Amino acid sequence: MSEIQTAMTLLISTFEKYAGREGNKHTLNKAELKDLLQSELGEMLGRANDKTAVDRIFSELDANRDNSVDFEEFGKMIFCLTVMCHEYFIGKK
């Protein structure tokens, strides 16, 4: 398996690990998103324990306002974080 395939598999399995703990297995509710952010991205985000920050992230991700974050909405967050990291490391060179 290529590195890109491995990364995609990891993203999907991470989403699935947290989605549906409290309901729909295809979406994250706010508590599930908070758990994912704290456990998987806590060091990167730094404010994953801040309720206001988590509320804001959830609100921004929930594009269709159905009070849940589906995989496409989650993917947009991962893409944005990846772009920010890329810009950070390019700036360091």
Side-chain angles (χ1 to χ4, degrees):
M1 189 178 318
S2 74
E3 289 182 19
I4 291 177
Q5 289 172 320
T6 301
M8 287 188 292
T9 300
L10 182 59
L11 286 172
I12 293 167
S13 64
T14 299
F15 179 86
E16 290 176 348
K17 176 181 172 181
Y18 293 91
R21 287 184 173 178
E22 299 178 10
N24 187 337
K25 67 181 184 175
H26 302 290
T27 62
L28 298 164
N29 65 28
K30 194 178 294 184
E32 293 164 342
L33 178 66
K34 180 181 178 186
D35 289 345
L36 185 152
L37 293 174
Q38 288 175 334
S39 299
E40 306 295 337
L41 298 169
E43 290 179 27
M44 177 183 286
L45 295 178
R47 297 187 59 177
N49 289 324
D50 180 340
K51 182 182 180 333
T52 304
V54 172
D55 288 347
R56 192 178 80 249
I57 291 168
F58 185 85
S59 177
E60 290 176 15
L61 290 176
D62 185 15
N64 63 1
R65 301 292 176 235
D66 65 351
N67 206 32
S68 65
V69 173
D70 62 27
F71 188 76
E72 182 177 344
E73 293 165 328
F74 170 76
K76 289 175 184 175
M77 177 188 73
I78 297 301
F79 180 75
C80 288
L81 289 171
T82 304
V83 168
M84 289 181 349
C85 288
H86 180 259
E87 290 171 355
Y88 174 81
F89 289 119
I90 293 296
K92 290 284 189 178
K93 290 183 179 183

